[in-house]
Amino acid sequence: MSKTGRLTTHVLDTALGKPAAGLKIDLYWIENGEHQHIVSTVTNADGRVDAPLVEGVGFMAGTYELVFHAGDYLRESGAAVSEPAFLDRIPLRFGVADLASHYHVPLLLSAFSYSTYRGS
């Protein structure tokens, strides 16, 4: 087992009861109120990203923000979405303290609600 930490995510569409495939995600590092873009990716058919968003020497203690482009995904999935969408971009800001740990931050999504947790 690696002693190097990493950050992963996945998205589940709870309204449809399936993985949210094709959902764009941006990752930012937050320092002194400034957003530094790290990576953008899109979920695969299993609602997951194909590789860790950040790992190894690039994985630093501090504050990160995942931005899930939920509105675009929901429109593409055929969900009834108002304009403007109730949920469009969902920012999740969280802290990383233990660089040897796996931080898994999933999103459970529907057109009118979401939840998250620290997974494994």
Side-chain angles (χ1 to χ4, degrees):
M1 172 128 178
S2 172
K3 292 185 180 185
T4 303
R6 66 193 183 281
L7 172 62
T8 59
T9 189
H10 77 274
V11 185
L12 298 176
D13 184 325
T14 58
L16 297 178
K18 65 178 192 174
L23 191 146
K24 181 180 177 185
I25 303 167
D26 297 315
L27 176 64
Y28 297 90
W29 166 259
I30 310 294
E31 188 171 32
N32 299 322
E34 298 293 322
H35 287 65
Q36 178 183 339
H37 181 259
I38 297 173
V39 68
S40 293
T41 190
V42 176
T43 56
N44 62 23
D46 197 31
R48 298 181 181 277
V49 295
D50 290 327
L53 296 166
V54 64
E55 66 181 331
V57 296
F59 191 50
M60 301 179 295
T63 303
Y64 290 85
E65 185 171 278
L66 285 165
V67 179
F68 297 88
H69 292 249
D72 294 339
Y73 163 79
L74 291 165
R75 287 180 196 92
E76 290 292 319
S77 74
V81 178
S82 61
E83 290 302 334
F86 180 70
L87 295 176
D88 188 19
R89 289 197 173 101
I90 300 172
L92 296 179
R93 190 173 290 189
F94 57 94
V96 167
D98 181 1
L99 295 179
S101 289
H102 177 192
Y103 284 77
H104 184 67
V105 184
L107 184 75
L108 307 177
L109 173 66
S110 75
F112 296 100
S113 70
Y114 68 90
S115 64
T116 190
Y117 57 94
R118 180 170 175 196
S120 58

